[in-house]
mmCIF file of all heavy atoms in Angstrom:
data_model
loop_
_atom_site.group_PDB
_atom_site.id
_atom_site.type_symbol
_atom_site.label_atom_id
_atom_site.label_comp_id
_atom_site.label_asym_id
_atom_site.label_seq_id
_atom_site.Cartn_x
_atom_site.Cartn_y
_atom_site.Cartn_z
ATOM 1 N N TRP A 152 24.709 -37.693 14.426
ATOM 2 C CA TRP A 152 25.174 -37.421 15.779
ATOM 3 C C TRP A 152 25.958 -36.111 15.849
ATOM 4 O O TRP A 152 26.801 -35.838 15.009
ATOM 5 C CB TRP A 152 26.063 -38.571 16.273
ATOM 6 C CG TRP A 152 25.421 -39.908 16.066
ATOM 7 C CD1 TRP A 152 25.681 -40.794 15.045
ATOM 8 C CD2 TRP A 152 24.384 -40.486 16.847
ATOM 9 N NE1 TRP A 152 24.875 -41.887 15.166
ATOM 10 C CE2 TRP A 152 24.065 -41.736 16.274
ATOM 11 C CE3 TRP A 152 23.699 -40.086 17.998
ATOM 12 C CZ2 TRP A 152 23.082 -42.569 16.776
ATOM 13 C CZ3 TRP A 152 22.725 -40.910 18.517
ATOM 14 C CH2 TRP A 152 22.427 -42.136 17.924
ATOM 15 N N ASP A 153 25.652 -35.326 16.883
ATOM 16 C CA ASP A 153 26.453 -34.136 17.130
ATOM 17 C C ASP A 153 27.844 -34.515 17.660
ATOM 18 O O ASP A 153 28.829 -33.844 17.378
ATOM 19 C CB ASP A 153 25.775 -33.233 18.174
ATOM 20 C CG ASP A 153 24.415 -32.740 17.715
ATOM 21 O OD1 ASP A 153 24.237 -32.540 16.502
ATOM 22 O OD2 ASP A 153 23.519 -32.583 18.572
ATOM 23 N N LEU A 154 27.883 -35.615 18.432
ATOM 24 C CA LEU A 154 29.149 -36.011 19.043
ATOM 25 C C LEU A 154 29.199 -37.543 19.141
ATOM 26 O O LEU A 154 28.236 -38.177 19.600
ATOM 27 C CB LEU A 154 29.294 -35.399 20.436
ATOM 28 C CG LEU A 154 30.579 -35.744 21.195
ATOM 29 C CD1 LEU A 154 31.806 -35.181 20.490
ATOM 30 C CD2 LEU A 154 30.509 -35.200 22.629
ATOM 31 N N ILE A 155 30.325 -38.116 18.741
ATOM 32 C CA ILE A 155 30.592 -39.537 18.895
ATOM 33 C C ILE A 155 31.743 -39.707 19.857
ATOM 34 O O ILE A 155 32.831 -39.153 19.625
ATOM 35 C CB ILE A 155 30.958 -40.180 17.528
ATOM 36 C CG1 ILE A 155 29.845 -39.967 16.501
ATOM 37 C CG2 ILE A 155 31.238 -41.680 17.715
ATOM 38 C CD1 ILE A 155 30.257 -40.324 15.066
ATOM 39 N N VAL A 156 31.514 -40.435 20.960
ATOM 40 C CA VAL A 156 32.580 -40.688 21.941
ATOM 41 C C VAL A 156 32.985 -42.145 21.794
ATOM 42 O O VAL A 156 32.142 -43.045 21.934
ATOM 43 C CB VAL A 156 32.105 -40.399 23.382
ATOM 44 C CG1 VAL A 156 33.262 -40.633 24.356
ATOM 45 C CG2 VAL A 156 31.597 -38.953 23.503
ATOM 46 N N VAL A 157 34.254 -42.388 21.521
ATOM 47 C CA VAL A 157 34.761 -43.740 21.275
ATOM 48 C C VAL A 157 35.578 -44.181 22.487
ATOM 49 O O VAL A 157 36.541 -43.516 22.885
ATOM 50 C CB VAL A 157 35.632 -43.796 20.003
ATOM 51 C CG1 VAL A 157 36.104 -45.239 19.774
ATOM 52 C CG2 VAL A 157 34.864 -43.276 18.800
ATOM 53 N N ASP A 158 35.203 -45.315 23.064
ATOM 54 C CA ASP A 158 35.928 -45.925 24.191
ATOM 55 C C ASP A 158 36.716 -47.087 23.628
ATOM 56 O O ASP A 158 36.154 -48.123 23.287
ATOM 57 C CB ASP A 158 34.930 -46.380 25.258
ATOM 58 C CG ASP A 158 35.555 -47.302 26.283
ATOM 59 O OD1 ASP A 158 36.718 -47.061 26.661
ATOM 60 O OD2 ASP A 158 34.889 -48.269 26.705
ATOM 61 N N THR A 159 38.026 -46.923 23.494
ATOM 62 C CA THR A 159 38.842 -47.939 22.836
ATOM 63 C C THR A 159 39.305 -49.018 23.808
ATOM 64 O O THR A 159 39.200 -48.870 25.012
ATOM 65 C CB THR A 159 40.082 -47.274 22.217
ATOM 66 O OG1 THR A 159 40.867 -46.672 23.274
ATOM 67 C CG2 THR A 159 39.699 -46.214 21.220
ATOM 68 N N PRO A 160 39.862 -50.125 23.261
ATOM 69 C CA PRO A 160 40.461 -51.147 24.134
ATOM 70 C C PRO A 160 41.709 -50.581 24.812
ATOM 71 O O PRO A 160 42.108 -49.455 24.544
ATOM 72 C CB PRO A 160 40.821 -52.270 23.148
ATOM 73 C CG PRO A 160 40.078 -51.968 21.900
ATOM 74 C CD PRO A 160 39.914 -50.492 21.854
ATOM 75 N N PRO A 161 42.366 -51.360 25.672
ATOM 76 C CA PRO A 161 43.607 -50.895 26.310
ATOM 77 C C PRO A 161 44.613 -50.406 25.277
ATOM 78 O O PRO A 161 44.595 -50.800 24.117
ATOM 79 C CB PRO A 161 44.100 -52.144 27.041
ATOM 80 C CG PRO A 161 42.837 -52.876 27.395
ATOM 81 C CD PRO A 161 41.927 -52.666 26.217
ATOM 82 N N SER A 162 45.549 -49.612 25.719
ATOM 83 C CA SER A 162 46.361 -48.763 24.861
ATOM 84 C C SER A 162 46.997 -49.463 23.673
ATOM 85 O O SER A 162 46.949 -48.958 22.565
ATOM 86 C CB SER A 162 47.454 -48.087 25.699
ATOM 87 O OG SER A 162 48.240 -47.240 24.894
ATOM 88 N N ARG A 163 47.639 -50.604 23.884
ATOM 89 C CA ARG A 163 48.316 -51.225 22.741
ATOM 90 C C ARG A 163 47.298 -51.615 21.682
ATOM 91 O O ARG A 163 47.572 -51.499 20.500
ATOM 92 C CB ARG A 163 49.078 -52.472 23.222
ATOM 93 C CG ARG A 163 50.172 -52.159 24.244
ATOM 94 C CD ARG A 163 51.334 -51.394 23.633
ATOM 95 N NE ARG A 163 52.323 -51.063 24.654
ATOM 96 C CZ ARG A 163 53.510 -50.553 24.396
ATOM 97 N NH1 ARG A 163 53.859 -50.291 23.141
ATOM 98 N NH2 ARG A 163 54.352 -50.265 25.362
ATOM 99 N N SER A 164 46.128 -52.066 22.089
ATOM 100 C CA SER A 164 45.077 -52.354 21.110
ATOM 101 C C SER A 164 44.554 -51.085 20.475
ATOM 102 O O SER A 164 44.149 -51.056 19.333
ATOM 103 C CB SER A 164 43.917 -53.113 21.775
ATOM 104 O OG SER A 164 44.354 -54.401 22.195
ATOM 105 N N ALA A 165 44.540 -49.984 21.249
ATOM 106 C CA ALA A 165 44.115 -48.711 20.680
ATOM 107 C C ALA A 165 45.087 -48.271 19.593
ATOM 108 O O ALA A 165 44.684 -47.664 18.608
ATOM 109 C CB ALA A 165 44.016 -47.656 21.783
ATOM 110 N N LEU A 166 46.373 -48.569 19.775
ATOM 111 C CA LEU A 166 47.325 -48.289 18.714
ATOM 112 C C LEU A 166 47.009 -49.129 17.493
ATOM 113 O O LEU A 166 47.141 -48.661 16.357
ATOM 114 C CB LEU A 166 48.743 -48.557 19.208
ATOM 115 C CG LEU A 166 49.301 -47.572 20.238
ATOM 116 C CD1 LEU A 166 50.644 -48.057 20.751
ATOM 117 C CD2 LEU A 166 49.425 -46.178 19.661
ATOM 118 N N ASP A 167 46.573 -50.371 17.699
ATOM 119 C CA ASP A 167 46.116 -51.178 16.574
ATOM 120 C C ASP A 167 44.931 -50.526 15.882
ATOM 121 O O ASP A 167 44.776 -50.627 14.675
ATOM 122 C CB ASP A 167 45.708 -52.574 17.064
ATOM 123 C CG ASP A 167 46.919 -53.404 17.486
ATOM 124 O OD1 ASP A 167 48.035 -53.045 17.070
ATOM 125 O OD2 ASP A 167 46.729 -54.376 18.226
ATOM 126 N N PHE A 168 44.088 -49.841 16.660
ATOM 127 C CA PHE A 168 42.961 -49.110 16.095
ATOM 128 C C PHE A 168 43.465 -48.084 15.069
ATOM 129 O O PHE A 168 42.882 -47.907 13.995
ATOM 130 C CB PHE A 168 42.244 -48.400 17.247
ATOM 131 C CG PHE A 168 41.057 -47.559 16.864
ATOM 132 C CD1 PHE A 168 39.842 -48.136 16.603
ATOM 133 C CD2 PHE A 168 41.172 -46.176 16.797
ATOM 134 C CE1 PHE A 168 38.733 -47.355 16.275
ATOM 135 C CE2 PHE A 168 40.081 -45.404 16.474
ATOM 136 C CZ PHE A 168 38.866 -45.989 16.202
ATOM 137 N N LEU A 169 44.575 -47.414 15.382
ATOM 138 C CA LEU A 169 45.160 -46.461 14.446
ATOM 139 C C LEU A 169 45.852 -47.164 13.290
ATOM 140 O O LEU A 169 45.919 -46.640 12.164
ATOM 141 C CB LEU A 169 46.165 -45.569 15.176
ATOM 142 C CG LEU A 169 45.639 -44.644 16.267
ATOM 143 C CD1 LEU A 169 46.766 -43.843 16.867
ATOM 144 C CD2 LEU A 169 44.544 -43.715 15.746
ATOM 145 N N ASP A 170 46.419 -48.340 13.551
ATOM 146 C CA ASP A 170 47.205 -49.050 12.548
ATOM 147 C C ASP A 170 46.362 -49.834 11.543
ATOM 148 O O ASP A 170 46.897 -50.297 10.539
ATOM 149 C CB ASP A 170 48.181 -50.022 13.211
ATOM 150 C CG ASP A 170 49.330 -49.287 13.888
ATOM 151 O OD1 ASP A 170 49.667 -48.194 13.427
ATOM 152 O OD2 ASP A 170 49.902 -49.846 14.846
ATOM 153 N N ALA A 171 45.081 -50.013 11.834
ATOM 154 C CA ALA A 171 44.246 -50.902 11.027
ATOM 155 C C ALA A 171 44.298 -50.580 9.532
ATOM 156 O O ALA A 171 44.461 -51.472 8.716
ATOM 157 C CB ALA A 171 42.808 -50.891 11.541
ATOM 158 N N PRO A 172 44.130 -49.302 9.115
ATOM 159 C CA PRO A 172 44.142 -49.038 7.665
ATOM 160 C C PRO A 172 45.453 -49.427 6.987
ATOM 161 O O PRO A 172 45.450 -50.055 5.938
ATOM 162 C CB PRO A 172 43.898 -47.521 7.592
ATOM 163 C CG PRO A 172 43.255 -47.169 8.867
ATOM 164 C CD PRO A 172 43.833 -48.089 9.886
ATOM 165 N N ALA A 173 46.580 -49.069 7.614
ATOM 166 C CA ALA A 173 47.872 -49.382 6.994
ATOM 167 C C ALA A 173 48.093 -50.885 6.956
ATOM 168 O O ALA A 173 48.610 -51.434 5.977
ATOM 169 C CB ALA A 173 48.998 -48.696 7.772
ATOM 170 N N ARG A 174 47.694 -51.569 8.036
ATOM 171 C CA ARG A 174 47.877 -53.025 8.076
ATOM 172 C C ARG A 174 47.029 -53.694 7.008
ATOM 173 O O ARG A 174 47.457 -54.644 6.340
ATOM 174 C CB ARG A 174 47.529 -53.545 9.457
ATOM 175 C CG ARG A 174 47.859 -55.024 9.629
ATOM 176 C CD ARG A 174 47.803 -55.464 11.071
ATOM 177 N NE ARG A 174 46.515 -55.216 11.667
ATOM 178 C CZ ARG A 174 46.288 -54.292 12.606
ATOM 179 N NH1 ARG A 174 47.281 -53.536 13.031
ATOM 180 N NH2 ARG A 174 45.093 -54.126 13.111
ATOM 181 N N LEU A 175 45.798 -53.189 6.828
ATOM 182 C CA LEU A 175 44.939 -53.739 5.788
ATOM 183 C C LEU A 175 45.546 -53.533 4.417
ATOM 184 O O LEU A 175 45.532 -54.432 3.580
ATOM 185 C CB LEU A 175 43.558 -53.103 5.864
ATOM 186 C CG LEU A 175 42.551 -53.608 4.823
ATOM 187 C CD1 LEU A 175 42.129 -55.023 5.146
ATOM 188 C CD2 LEU A 175 41.338 -52.685 4.772
ATOM 189 N N SER A 176 46.084 -52.338 4.165
ATOM 190 C CA SER A 176 46.684 -52.058 2.862
ATOM 191 C C SER A 176 47.876 -52.971 2.604
ATOM 192 O O SER A 176 48.057 -53.473 1.490
ATOM 193 C CB SER A 176 47.120 -50.592 2.797
ATOM 194 O OG SER A 176 46.002 -49.733 2.823
ATOM 195 N N ARG A 177 48.684 -53.206 3.659
ATOM 196 C CA ARG A 177 49.826 -54.113 3.467
ATOM 197 C C ARG A 177 49.356 -55.523 3.136
ATOM 198 O O ARG A 177 49.954 -56.210 2.332
ATOM 199 C CB ARG A 177 50.681 -54.115 4.758
ATOM 200 C CG ARG A 177 51.501 -52.862 4.957
ATOM 201 C CD ARG A 177 52.586 -53.083 6.006
ATOM 202 N NE ARG A 177 52.039 -53.435 7.305
ATOM 203 C CZ ARG A 177 51.726 -52.568 8.249
ATOM 204 N NH1 ARG A 177 51.875 -51.260 8.022
ATOM 205 N NH2 ARG A 177 51.249 -52.972 9.411
ATOM 206 N N PHE A 178 48.261 -55.933 3.794
ATOM 207 C CA PHE A 178 47.724 -57.266 3.526
ATOM 208 C C PHE A 178 47.215 -57.358 2.086
ATOM 209 O O PHE A 178 47.503 -58.290 1.362
ATOM 210 C CB PHE A 178 46.589 -57.573 4.493
ATOM 211 C CG PHE A 178 45.810 -58.827 4.179
ATOM 212 C CD1 PHE A 178 46.386 -60.082 4.316
ATOM 213 C CD2 PHE A 178 44.505 -58.769 3.729
ATOM 214 C CE1 PHE A 178 45.705 -61.239 4.037
ATOM 215 C CE2 PHE A 178 43.806 -59.923 3.426
ATOM 216 C CZ PHE A 178 44.412 -61.164 3.578
ATOM 217 N N LEU A 179 46.485 -56.324 1.652
ATOM 218 C CA LEU A 179 45.898 -56.360 0.311
ATOM 219 C C LEU A 179 46.948 -56.252 -0.772
ATOM 220 O O LEU A 179 46.780 -56.788 -1.881
ATOM 221 C CB LEU A 179 44.888 -55.214 0.161
ATOM 222 C CG LEU A 179 43.670 -55.274 1.083
ATOM 223 C CD1 LEU A 179 42.781 -54.078 0.871
ATOM 224 C CD2 LEU A 179 42.882 -56.555 0.847
ATOM 225 N N ASP A 180 48.036 -55.553 -0.466
ATOM 226 C CA ASP A 180 49.067 -55.348 -1.477
ATOM 227 C C ASP A 180 50.211 -56.350 -1.351
ATOM 228 O O ASP A 180 51.186 -56.286 -2.078
ATOM 229 C CB ASP A 180 49.655 -53.929 -1.351
ATOM 230 C CG ASP A 180 48.598 -52.873 -1.684
ATOM 231 O OD1 ASP A 180 47.703 -53.187 -2.481
ATOM 232 O OD2 ASP A 180 48.683 -51.765 -1.144
#
Side-chain angles (χ1 to χ4, degrees):
W152 311 99
D153 299 327
L154 180 64
I155 302 168
V156 182
V157 182
D158 166 39
T159 61
S162 181
R163 298 292 177 171
S164 294
L166 289 173
D167 290 340
F168 179 80
L169 296 180
D170 287 333
R174 187 167 58 249
L175 180 70
S176 293
R177 286 196 299 270
F178 172 69
L179 296 178
D180 294 332

